[in-house]
Amino acid sequence: MRVVQQPERDQFDLAAVLYALSDPTRLELVRRLAQDGERACGTFDVCATKATLSHHFKVLREAGLIHTRAEGVYRFISLRRRDLDARFPGLLKAVLKAAGAPGR
Amino acid sequence: MRVVQQPERDQFDLAAVLYALSDPTRLELVRRLAQDGERACGTFDVCATKATLSHHFKVLREAGLIHTRAEGVYRFISLRRRDLDARFPGLLKAVLKAAGAPGR
DNA sequence: CCAGTTGTTTGAAATTTATCAAACAATGCA
DNA sequence: TGCATTGTTTGATAAATTTCAAACAACTGG
Protein backbone atom coordinates (compact mmCIF):
# COMPACT_ATOMS: atom_id res chain seq x y z
CA MET A 1 0.00 0.00 0.00
CA ARG A 2 1.20 3.39 -0.95
CA VAL A 3 1.89 5.90 1.75
CA VAL A 4 0.54 9.33 0.96
CA GLN A 5 3.08 12.08 1.31
CA GLN A 6 1.43 14.33 3.79
CA PRO A 7 3.17 15.93 6.74
CA GLU A 8 1.83 15.94 10.27
CA ARG A 9 0.74 19.36 11.36
CA ASP A 10 3.75 19.64 13.64
CA GLN A 11 6.03 19.25 10.67
CA PHE A 12 4.54 21.93 8.47
CA ASP A 13 7.22 24.18 7.05
CA LEU A 14 6.22 27.82 6.72
CA ALA A 15 8.40 28.48 3.69
CA ALA A 16 6.97 25.42 1.95
CA VAL A 17 3.40 26.52 2.69
CA LEU A 18 4.07 30.01 1.37
CA TYR A 19 5.78 28.59 -1.66
CA ALA A 20 2.86 26.29 -2.41
CA LEU A 21 0.53 29.28 -2.21
CA SER A 22 2.72 31.51 -4.34
CA ASP A 23 1.66 30.01 -7.66
CA PRO A 24 -1.44 31.64 -9.17
CA THR A 25 -2.94 28.33 -10.24
CA ARG A 26 -2.44 26.72 -6.85
CA LEU A 27 -3.74 29.80 -5.10
CA GLU A 28 -6.88 29.54 -7.20
CA LEU A 29 -7.28 25.86 -6.36
CA VAL A 30 -7.02 26.65 -2.67
CA ARG A 31 -9.46 29.52 -3.02
CA ARG A 32 -12.01 27.21 -4.57
CA LEU A 33 -11.49 24.53 -1.98
CA ALA A 34 -12.07 27.11 0.72
CA GLN A 35 -15.18 28.31 -1.01
CA ASP A 36 -16.80 25.07 -2.06
CA GLY A 37 -15.35 22.47 0.28
CA GLU A 38 -14.25 18.99 -0.72
CA ARG A 39 -14.08 18.36 -4.44
CA ALA A 40 -12.84 15.73 -6.85
CA CYS A 41 -9.70 16.63 -8.81
CA GLY A 42 -11.48 16.76 -12.11
CA THR A 43 -14.06 19.30 -11.01
CA PHE A 44 -11.72 22.26 -10.90
CA ASP A 45 -12.14 23.93 -14.24
CA VAL A 46 -8.68 25.37 -14.39
CA CYS A 47 -6.77 25.86 -17.59
CA ALA A 48 -4.23 23.04 -17.31
CA THR A 49 -3.92 19.39 -18.23
CA LYS A 50 -4.66 16.72 -15.68
CA ALA A 51 -0.95 16.01 -15.37
CA THR A 52 -0.25 19.61 -14.46
CA LEU A 53 -3.13 19.70 -12.02
CA SER A 54 -1.88 16.51 -10.43
CA HIS A 55 1.50 18.16 -10.00
CA HIS A 56 0.01 21.21 -8.33
CA PHE A 57 -2.02 19.07 -5.97
CA LYS A 58 1.12 17.20 -5.09
CA VAL A 59 2.88 20.42 -4.15
CA LEU A 60 -0.08 21.49 -2.05
CA ARG A 61 -0.34 18.07 -0.43
CA GLU A 62 3.33 17.86 0.46
CA ALA A 63 3.20 21.30 2.03
CA GLY A 64 0.32 20.14 4.18
CA LEU A 65 -2.33 22.35 2.65
CA ILE A 66 -4.66 19.67 1.37
CA HIS A 67 -5.79 16.16 2.12
CA THR A 68 -6.74 13.59 -0.46
CA ARG A 69 -9.39 10.95 0.10
CA ALA A 70 -9.77 8.14 -2.40
CA GLU A 71 -13.24 6.94 -3.26
CA GLY A 72 -13.57 4.64 -6.19
CA VAL A 73 -11.96 6.18 -9.20
CA TYR A 74 -12.10 9.64 -7.67
CA ARG A 75 -9.78 11.57 -5.41
CA PHE A 76 -11.59 13.98 -3.19
CA ILE A 77 -9.51 16.91 -2.06
CA SER A 78 -10.07 19.10 0.94
CA LEU A 79 -8.29 21.93 2.69
CA ARG A 80 -6.54 21.04 5.94
CA ARG A 81 -7.99 24.08 7.65
CA ARG A 82 -7.87 22.76 11.17
CA ASP A 83 -4.25 21.68 10.96
CA LEU A 84 -3.16 24.88 9.27
CA ASP A 85 -4.96 27.05 11.78
CA ALA A 86 -3.43 25.11 14.63
CA ARG A 87 0.08 25.47 13.28
CA PHE A 88 -0.09 28.90 11.66
CA PRO A 89 -2.97 30.81 13.27
CA GLY A 90 -4.56 33.39 11.03
CA LEU A 91 -2.39 32.63 8.04
CA LEU A 92 -4.85 30.80 5.83
CA LYS A 93 -7.61 33.23 6.70
CA ALA A 94 -5.45 36.21 5.77
CA VAL A 95 -4.36 34.60 2.51
CA LEU A 96 -7.91 33.69 1.55
CA LYS A 97 -9.09 37.16 2.36
CA ALA A 98 -6.28 38.64 0.31
CA ALA A 99 -7.15 36.26 -2.51
CA GLY A 100 -10.68 37.54 -2.54
CA ALA A 101 -12.35 34.53 -1.02
CA PRO A 102 -15.47 34.98 1.07
CA GLY A 103 -14.93 34.90 4.83
CA ARG A 104 -14.95 31.65 6.71
CA MET B 1 17.96 59.66 -11.64
CA ARG B 2 17.17 56.03 -11.24
CA VAL B 3 13.64 54.99 -10.45
CA VAL B 4 13.42 52.40 -7.75
CA GLN B 5 11.30 49.43 -8.66
CA GLN B 6 8.71 49.48 -5.97
CA PRO B 7 5.01 48.95 -6.55
CA GLU B 8 2.29 51.16 -5.15
CA ARG B 9 0.27 49.43 -2.50
CA ASP B 10 -2.65 49.08 -4.87
CA GLN B 11 -0.52 47.09 -7.25
CA PHE B 12 0.75 44.51 -4.81
CA ASP B 13 0.35 41.02 -6.17
CA LEU B 14 -0.51 38.39 -3.60
CA ALA B 15 1.28 35.56 -5.37
CA ALA B 16 4.41 37.70 -5.69
CA VAL B 17 4.31 38.59 -2.00
CA LEU B 18 3.89 34.95 -1.00
CA TYR B 19 6.66 33.96 -3.36
CA ALA B 20 9.02 36.55 -1.93
CA LEU B 21 8.29 35.22 1.54
CA SER B 22 8.68 31.58 0.56
CA ASP B 23 12.47 31.58 0.55
CA PRO B 24 14.00 30.78 3.96
CA THR B 25 16.67 33.44 3.62
CA ARG B 26 14.20 36.15 2.64
CA LEU B 27 11.81 35.07 5.37
CA GLU B 28 14.63 35.50 7.86
CA LEU B 29 15.47 38.94 6.49
CA VAL B 30 11.85 40.00 6.89
CA ARG B 31 11.69 38.54 10.37
CA ARG B 32 14.68 40.60 11.43
CA LEU B 33 13.33 43.73 9.84
CA ALA B 34 10.11 43.26 11.75
CA GLN B 35 12.00 42.67 14.94
CA ASP B 36 14.67 45.34 14.76
CA GLY B 37 13.25 47.95 12.41
CA GLU B 38 15.20 49.75 9.72
CA ARG B 39 18.66 48.37 9.06
CA ALA B 40 21.47 48.78 6.57
CA CYS B 41 21.95 45.92 4.12
CA GLY B 42 25.29 44.91 5.54
CA THR B 43 24.03 44.45 9.06
CA PHE B 44 22.08 41.28 8.42
CA ASP B 45 24.45 38.52 9.36
CA VAL B 46 23.04 35.99 6.99
CA CYS B 47 25.12 33.32 5.34
CA ALA B 48 25.30 34.69 1.80
CA THR B 49 27.49 36.97 -0.26
CA LYS B 50 26.51 40.59 -0.72
CA ALA B 51 25.51 39.87 -4.32
CA THR B 52 23.08 37.20 -3.17
CA LEU B 53 21.72 39.44 -0.44
CA SER B 54 21.26 42.22 -2.95
CA HIS B 55 19.27 39.81 -5.11
CA HIS B 56 17.01 38.81 -2.23
CA PHE B 57 16.36 42.42 -1.33
CA LYS B 58 15.46 43.09 -4.92
CA VAL B 59 12.86 40.32 -4.87
CA LEU B 60 11.42 41.66 -1.62
CA ARG B 61 11.43 45.21 -2.92
CA GLU B 62 9.71 44.37 -6.19
CA ALA B 63 7.02 42.46 -4.35
CA GLY B 64 6.40 45.54 -2.22
CA LEU B 65 7.60 44.10 1.06
CA ILE B 66 10.44 46.50 1.75
CA HIS B 67 11.50 50.06 1.14
CA THR B 68 15.07 51.20 0.59
CA ARG B 69 16.38 54.56 1.69
CA ALA B 70 19.81 55.71 0.57
CA GLU B 71 21.99 57.56 3.01
CA GLY B 72 25.58 58.07 2.05
CA VAL B 73 27.13 54.77 1.19
CA TYR B 74 24.45 52.86 3.01
CA ARG B 75 21.05 51.56 2.02
CA PHE B 76 18.63 51.45 4.87
CA ILE B 77 15.89 48.91 4.49
CA SER B 78 12.54 48.86 6.21
CA LEU B 79 9.37 46.79 6.10
CA ARG B 80 6.40 48.37 4.33
CA ARG B 81 4.10 47.37 7.15
CA ARG B 82 1.51 50.05 6.65
CA ASP B 83 1.10 49.36 2.94
CA LEU B 84 1.03 45.61 3.42
CA ASP B 85 -1.54 45.82 6.17
CA ALA B 86 -3.68 48.10 4.07
CA ARG B 87 -3.63 45.79 1.09
CA PHE B 88 -3.52 42.39 2.77
CA PRO B 89 -4.88 42.80 6.30
CA GLY B 90 -3.50 40.31 8.79
CA LEU B 91 -1.17 38.62 6.34
CA LEU B 92 2.15 39.98 7.49
CA LYS B 93 1.20 39.57 11.13
CA ALA B 94 0.24 35.94 10.59
CA VAL B 95 3.42 35.22 8.66
CA LEU B 96 5.61 36.86 11.28
CA LYS B 97 3.85 35.00 14.02
CA ALA B 98 4.29 31.75 12.13
CA ALA B 99 7.94 32.59 11.59
CA GLY B 100 8.45 32.94 15.30
CA ALA B 101 8.74 36.70 15.42
CA PRO B 102 7.57 38.58 18.47
CA GLY B 103 4.17 40.24 18.18
CA ARG B 104 3.83 43.68 16.71
C1' DC C 1 -12.44 -10.23 -18.72
C1' DC C 2 -12.77 -5.95 -21.35
C1' DA C 3 -13.39 -1.14 -21.98
C1' DG C 4 -13.99 3.40 -20.12
C1' DT C 5 -13.01 6.79 -16.54
C1' DT C 6 -10.07 9.15 -13.18
C1' DG C 7 -5.93 10.36 -11.67
C1' DT C 8 -0.62 9.51 -11.06
C1' DT C 9 3.96 8.94 -12.75
C1' DT C 10 7.58 9.39 -16.09
C1' DG C 11 10.33 11.72 -19.48
C1' DA C 12 11.47 15.76 -21.80
C1' DA C 13 11.78 20.68 -22.96
C1' DA C 14 11.60 25.49 -21.75
C1' DT C 15 11.83 28.67 -18.14
C1' DT C 16 13.04 30.43 -13.82
C1' DT C 17 15.77 30.70 -9.74
C1' DA C 18 19.67 30.85 -6.44
C1' DT C 19 24.26 31.66 -5.99
C1' DC C 20 28.82 33.52 -6.47
C1' DA C 21 32.87 36.14 -8.42
C1' DA C 22 34.12 40.05 -10.76
C1' DA C 23 33.32 44.43 -12.54
C1' DC C 24 31.02 48.60 -11.64
C1' DA C 25 28.95 52.80 -9.30
C1' DA C 26 28.44 55.99 -5.57
C1' DT C 27 29.89 57.97 -1.43
C1' DG C 28 32.98 59.76 2.04
C1' DC C 29 37.48 60.31 4.18
C1' DA C 30 42.30 61.62 4.22
C1' DT D 1 42.93 63.19 -6.07
C1' DG D 2 43.40 58.63 -4.26
C1' DC D 3 41.48 54.98 -1.69
C1' DA D 4 38.42 52.31 1.18
C1' DT D 5 33.57 51.11 1.97
C1' DT D 6 28.85 49.80 0.65
C1' DG D 7 25.93 47.97 -2.36
C1' DT D 8 24.31 46.91 -7.41
C1' DT D 9 24.75 44.76 -11.82
C1' DT D 10 26.53 41.37 -14.96
C1' DG D 11 27.78 36.84 -16.46
C1' DA D 12 27.97 32.20 -15.57
C1' DT D 13 26.59 27.80 -13.62
C1' DA D 14 23.87 24.51 -11.17
C1' DA D 15 19.49 23.35 -9.56
C1' DA D 16 14.59 23.62 -9.36
C1' DT D 17 10.11 24.45 -11.52
C1' DT D 18 6.33 24.40 -14.83
C1' DT D 19 4.18 22.17 -18.38
C1' DC D 20 2.59 18.62 -21.43
C1' DA D 21 2.12 14.03 -23.78
C1' DA D 22 2.36 9.36 -23.12
C1' DA D 23 2.45 5.43 -20.39
C1' DC D 24 0.68 3.50 -16.35
C1' DA D 25 -2.39 2.16 -12.38
C1' DA D 26 -6.78 1.55 -10.08
C1' DC D 27 -11.50 1.15 -10.09
C1' DT D 28 -16.35 0.36 -12.10
C1' DG D 29 -19.83 -1.35 -15.13
C1' DG D 30 -21.24 -4.53 -18.44
Side-chain angles (χ1 to χ4, degrees):
Chain A
M1 182 175 174
R2 210 169 56 76
V3 176
V4 178
Q5 314 246 36
Q6 197 179 252
E8 297 295 321
R9 72 159 64 150
D10 294 342
Q11 298 164 341
F12 287 177
D13 178 67
L14 177 59
V17 168
L18 294 174
Y19 179 78
L21 291 170
S22 74
D23 177 273
T25 300
R26 289 194 293 263
L27 195 51
E28 173 63 14
L29 295 176
V30 168
R31 207 185 61 74
R32 296 212 188 178
L33 281 170
Q35 189 176 298
D36 306 339
E38 191 185 55
R39 302 180 64 164
C41 292
T43 68
F44 297 80
D45 67 330
V46 171
C47 196
T49 65
K50 57 183 183 172
T52 298
L53 263 193
S54 193
H55 160 72
H56 284 313
F57 283 127
K58 186 178 180 184
V59 173
L60 290 170
R61 194 180 311 118
E62 290 180 356
L65 281 158
I66 63 175
H67 171 261
T68 302
R69 175 175 70 84
E71 185 175 317
V73 187
Y74 302 96
R75 296 289 183 282
F76 286 94
I77 296 181
S78 55
L79 258 188
R80 293 180 64 183
R81 268 202 152 122
R82 193 119 11 154
D83 291 330
L84 284 163
D85 287 346
R87 183 78 167 81
F88 303 131
L91 181 60
L92 185 58
K93 185 180 171 188
V95 170
L96 290 174
K97 185 173 181 181
R104 214 202 223 278
Chain B
M1 181 174 173
R2 210 170 56 77
V3 176
V4 178
Q5 316 246 37
Q6 197 180 253
E8 296 296 321
R9 71 161 64 153
D10 293 342
Q11 298 164 339
F12 287 177
D13 178 67
L14 178 59
V17 168
L18 294 174
Y19 178 77
L21 290 169
S22 74
D23 177 274
T25 299
R26 290 194 292 262
L27 195 52
E28 173 63 14
L29 295 176
V30 168
R31 207 184 60 75
R32 296 212 188 178
L33 281 169
Q35 188 176 300
D36 306 340
E38 192 185 53
R39 303 181 64 164
C41 293
T43 68
F44 296 80
D45 67 330
V46 170
C47 196
T49 66
K50 57 183 183 172
T52 299
L53 263 193
S54 194
H55 160 71
H56 285 312
F57 283 127
K58 186 177 181 185
V59 173
L60 290 170
R61 194 180 313 119
E62 291 180 355
L65 280 157
I66 63 174
H67 171 261
T68 302
R69 174 175 69 84
E71 185 176 317
V73 189
Y74 301 96
R75 297 288 184 282
F76 286 93
I77 297 180
S78 55
L79 257 188
R80 293 180 66 182
R81 268 202 153 120
R82 193 113 16 148
D83 291 330
L84 285 163
D85 286 347
R87 183 78 166 82
F88 303 130
L91 181 60
L92 185 58
K93 185 180 171 188
V95 169
L96 289 174
K97 184 173 181 181
R104 216 202 223 275

